[in-house]
Every structure is written in structure tokens, then in C-alpha cells.
Amino acid sequence: MRLNQNTMLLGKKVVLVPYTSEHVPRYHEWMKSEELQRLTASEPLTLEQEYAMQRSWREDADKCTFIVLDAEKWQAQPGATEESCMVGDVNLFLTDLEDPTLGEIEVMIAEPSCRGKGLGTEAVLAMLSYGVTTLGLTKFEAKIGQENEPSIRMFQKLHFEQVAASSVFQEVTLRLTVSESEHQWLLEQTSHVEEKPYRDGSAEPC
């Protein structure tokens, strides 16, 4: 999505930056993991295919992707490359043609050492807020593998409720409808997140 290509979101634990070609090699290494392939229902791609995928995601109007950086590592090491601080990604898919206010959200914390520390939670909150304020979304769905209990629990803590389960796809669907009270709660949870301009590969720590 071109809309977010010049936007970065700066939180306490994570920094969200647009997915650029700089990030592809690290992302490609992550996706060689059979565990991540299973959790994300993904097929392994060649590096060339991964670059093509990154380009298409940048251009497609129905996909909004941010790479998740470890904010502490990124800010503590002036001059550190974004690739060295990458921990995962967070995505919004706007694929329901009948309801443009619905977005499907996904998050992946690919680095095992960074899981269970709240990075995924803050990344999702920042993305939800961005979806509401910038993309005009009012409903979100998350489709999660039934065995991925940590992810299911995280979304439930963020007020998502289970609305469906598929034994065929071995996944559950959780949904959040952003009412006025939910919107207020979301604003409170993300009041510390700053939106700043981003230039490809040249985001500078504060």
C-alpha cells in the first residue's frame, strides 16, 4: 500500500516501518522456518519471489504492511540498520469488497527471543489505531491457527471475540467492532505512539 510508504509509527517497545526491499533478505530467512510457515499458512519462496512479493505488497491498495522493529535495540544503537532490528511484521488486508470498513489483521513476531514481551501486542494496537484513524476501518478480524494459543489469548486481551471456528482450516476467527467506547479505549492504549515521516532506509532513532 502506497499510503503508508512514508509513514513510521514509533511506540515504546516497537517501531513500525514500511516494508521495503532493505527488509527482504531477513524476512526471507525467517520464512525458511517450518514453524513460521505453519503458523502463517505460507509456502516457502525463493529470494527473487520474496522481492517480487514485497513490490506487489507496496503497490496493492488492499494490503497495508509494516515491519516491526525492536525499539530498544533500534534506539540504543545509532546507525544500526533496520534489518538488524527486525523482529516481525504486522499486516492489514482490505479484501472484503462488500465492506470497505473491515480489515483482516495479522501479526508475526518471527524472532523467538522477542516473543512474550509485549511487542506483538503493541504492534497490533498501533496497527488497529492506524486502521481506524487513517484507513477508516471500524471492524477487524483475525484468523489464527487453533494451536496458536498465545496469539489467540493476545487478541482476546485486545477485546477481540471469537465468532467462528473452522475444522477444515484448523483456525478460529476473532472479531473486534470499534464502537465509540472501543475507539476511546484504543486511543488511550496508543496515546504514546507517534506517527513520523519515513524515508526509505533512512529512519533515524530519536
Side-chain angles (χ1 to χ4, degrees), residues 24-147:
V24 171
R26 181 79 174 272
Y27 193 91
H28 179 63
E29 287 301 314
W30 284 342
M31 298 315 296
K32 291 179 181 178
S33 160
E34 292 184 3
E35 178 198 17
L36 290 178
Q37 290 173 23
R38 187 180 74 254
L39 290 175
T40 60
S42 302
E43 295 291 328
L45 301 177
T46 66
L47 183 59
E48 188 174 297
Q49 289 172 323
E50 207 77 73
Y51 275 110
M53 182 75 76
Q54 180 271 324
R55 288 192 295 271
S56 74
W57 281 36
R58 184 185 61 198
E59 300 296 332
D60 289 353
D62 61 358
K63 300 180 183 71
C64 181
T65 298
F66 284 100
I67 291 293
V68 182
L69 309 181
D70 180 333
E72 183 179 1
K73 185 176 182 181
W74 183 70
Q75 292 174 321
Q77 300 177 15
T81 64
E82 289 177 12
E83 186 181 6
S84 69
C85 301
M86 288 170 59
V87 298
D89 71 340
V90 61
N91 309 290
L92 274 174
F93 302 102
L94 316 178
T95 52
D96 191 325
L97 298 179
E98 296 182 358
D99 188 354
T101 67
L102 172 64
E104 181 181 338
I105 189 165
E106 289 182 353
V107 65
M108 174 181 74
I109 300 301
E111 292 293 333
S113 64
C114 295
R115 295 174 190 163
K117 297 181 178 180
L119 278 71
T121 298
E122 187 176 61
V124 169
L125 282 167
M127 189 60 131
L128 292 174
S129 179
Y130 185 80
V132 171
T133 58
T134 304
L135 305 180
L137 303 181
T138 60
K139 296 181 289 292
F140 298 90
E141 286 188 351
K143 295 179 180 179
I144 306 168
Q146 290 176 338
E147 83 285 357

Side-chain angles (χ1 to χ4, degrees), residues 145-173:
Q146 290 176 338
E147 83 285 357
N148 192 352
E149 293 183 7
S151 186
I152 293 172
R153 284 196 302 271
M154 182 194 72
F155 276 98
Q156 288 174 334
K157 287 180 180 177
L158 299 181
H159 300 183
F160 280 69
E161 296 182 352
Q162 183 173 324
V163 294
S166 170
S167 56
V168 175
F169 295 106
Q170 295 286 298
E171 68 180 17
V172 297
T173 300

